[in-house]
């Protein structure tokens, strides 16, 4: 795992199944930190970190005939990429995820030198690792190896969500896959440790718990207190598994 100095900007990441509400919570946290006077940078994983997009498109759309775009309640779509669990796709993923981990290391290090005081990662390498069979000892060893390569955020959020409600908001993948993916996030949190799982709750309550978890980081705590939101005692914040 890459160590970081405490004098560097605060780095947080948001992960979770599609439709868990990550974008909503990222926007709320960004606004809070801007209000506190911090320069904030959001790093969208799929736009700035993920590499070899042509290969991904070929595997998801051309080979497995998945639909493009983002699903909505008015127009559900059927994606065919991360929900394909074949041996061939597993090998492709290991290659892609290694490339992305190297890219993530570079992107985060560059962002830490950008002058921003608060960095928010919209998804992280974790959102790729959950597509692997984490019951397989080799895959678990691979994840541990990649964790030694990528920077570890100060706070890594997993937004837990009810798969039925998540799919109603973002209907792209089969419900069975969303249940399986949710379990993979929980398994990953146990495998690597130090992740903050935020339970499914109304949007304001989720935001409150996200802010509460930041009490463990000195720079973020100072910024959060400047805006005077109610903070819980850190010991009562969401469990970090």
């Amino acid at each position: 795992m890459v160590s970081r100095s405490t004098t560097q900007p605060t780095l947080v990441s948001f992960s979770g199944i599609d439709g868990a509400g990550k974008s909503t919570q990222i926007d709320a946290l960004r606004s809070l930190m801007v209000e506190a006077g911090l320069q904030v940078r959001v790093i969208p994983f799929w736009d700035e970190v993920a590499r070899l997009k042509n290969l991904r498109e070929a595997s998801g759309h051309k080979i497995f005939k998945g639909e493009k775009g983002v699903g909505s309640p008015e127009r559900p779509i059927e994606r065919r990429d991360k929900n394909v669990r074949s041996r061939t796709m597993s090998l492709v993923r290991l290659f892609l995820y290694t490339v992305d981990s190297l890219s993530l290391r570079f992107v985060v290090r560059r962002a830490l030198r950008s002058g921003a005081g608060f960095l928010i990662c919209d998804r992280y390498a974790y959102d790729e690792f959950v597509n692997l069979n984490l019951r397989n000892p080799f895959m678990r060893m691979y994840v541990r190896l990649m964790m030694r390569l990528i920077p570890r955020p100060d706070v890594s959020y997993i937004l837990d969500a009810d798969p039925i409600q998540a799919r109603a908001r973002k209907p792209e993948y089969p419900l069975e896959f969303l249940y399986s993916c949710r379990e993979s996030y929980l398994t990953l949190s146990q495998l690597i440790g130090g992740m903050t799982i935020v339970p499914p709750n109304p949007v304001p309550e989720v935001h409150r718990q996200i802010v509460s978890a930041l009490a463990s980081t000195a720079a973020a705590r100072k910024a959060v207190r400047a805006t005077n939101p109610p903070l819980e005692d850190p010991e009562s914040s969401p469990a970090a598994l």
Side-chain angles (χ1 to χ4, degrees), residues 1-4 11 13 15 45 49 96-109 112 121 123-129 142-154 156 188 192-193 195:
M1 181 179 68
V2 178
S3 61
R4 302 197 301 106
L11 173 68
S13 67
S15 298
F45 187 89
V49 177
L96 289 173
Y97 296 174
T98 301
V99 172
D100 287 350
S101 293
L102 291 169
S103 173
L104 178 62
R105 182 185 178 100
F106 171 78
V107 169
V108 169
R109 284 185 167 182
L112 290 170
C121 294
R123 293 192 179 274
Y124 211 64
Y126 311 137
D127 296 276
E128 295 189 323
F129 297 158
Y142 170 82
V143 169
R144 291 190 180 102
L145 177 62
M146 291 299 102
M147 289 302 299
R148 297 178 65 87
L149 178 66
I150 65 176
R152 190 76 181 242
D154 295 292
S156 298
L188 179 68
I192 67 176
M195 304 188 78

Side-chain angles (χ1 to χ4, degrees), residues 9-237:
T10 298
L11 173 68
V12 303
S13 67
F14 281 82
S15 298
I17 65 174
D18 293 272
K22 294 179 292 296
S23 296
T24 298
Q25 296 300 332
I26 287 171
D27 289 344
L29 183 60
R30 179 183 181 278
S31 296
L32 180 67
M33 292 300 147
V34 169
E35 182 182 349
L38 285 179
Q39 181 180 346
V40 180
R41 183 182 172 195
V42 177
I43 304 173
F45 187 89
W46 303 127
D47 293 335
E48 295 190 22
V49 177
R51 297 293 182 255
L52 303 174
K53 292 183 174 62
N54 289 337
L55 177 59
R56 296 172 189 270
E57 182 177 353
S59 62
H61 306 312
K62 297 179 182 178
I63 298 176
F64 296 107
K65 309 302 181 183
E67 294 184 74
K68 298 182 180 181
V70 177
S72 67
E74 295 76 23
R75 185 188 178 277
I77 66 172
E78 184 178 353
R79 298 280 295 272
R80 295 285 293 168
D81 41 28
K82 60 186 178 183
N83 56 323
V84 175
R85 299 294 177 91
S86 67
R87 181 173 298 181
T88 301
M89 278 300 295
S90 293
L91 293 175
V92 172
R93 287 188 179 109
L94 291 176
F95 170 70
L96 289 173
Y97 296 174
T98 301
V99 172
D100 287 350
S101 293
L102 291 169
S103 173
L104 178 62
R105 182 185 178 100
F106 171 78
V107 169
V108 169
R109 284 185 167 182
R110 183 177 60 187
L112 290 170
R113 298 191 298 266
S114 68
F118 201 86
L119 305 174
I120 304 175
C121 294
D122 183 355
R123 293 192 179 274
Y124 211 64
Y126 311 137
D127 296 276
E128 295 189 323
F129 297 158
V130 296
N131 298 324
L132 303 171
N133 178 9
L134 297 179
R135 295 186 299 273
N136 184 302
F138 173 79
M139 295 300 184
R140 295 170 71 90
M141 181 178 66
Y142 170 82
V143 169
R144 291 190 180 102
L145 177 62
M146 291 299 102
M147 289 302 299
R148 297 178 65 87
L149 178 66
I150 65 176
R152 190 76 181 242
D154 295 292
V155 184
S156 298
Y157 295 107
I158 294 180
L159 299 191
D160 197 10
D162 177 85
I164 295 177
Q165 296 180 1
R167 191 176 190 280
R169 291 189 290 267
K170 200 172 182 181
E172 297 178 356
Y173 294 99
L175 188 58
E176 180 181 359
F177 169 74
L178 292 181
Y179 274 107
S180 174
C181 191
R182 177 179 179 270
E183 287 302 316
S184 291
Y185 277 107
L186 299 179
T187 300
L188 179 68
S189 73
Q190 295 172 351
L191 176 62
I192 67 176
M195 304 188 78
T196 299
I197 300 178
V198 183
N201 277 307
V203 171
E205 173 63 15
V206 171
H207 176 66
R208 186 184 64 82
Q209 293 182 68
I210 286 171
V211 172
S212 177
L214 285 173
S216 62
T217 63
R221 181 168 62 249
K222 182 178 179 180
V224 169
R225 285 176 175 171
T227 61
N228 297 316
L231 278 180
E232 293 181 346
D233 187 289
E235 293 183 358
S236 64
S237 61

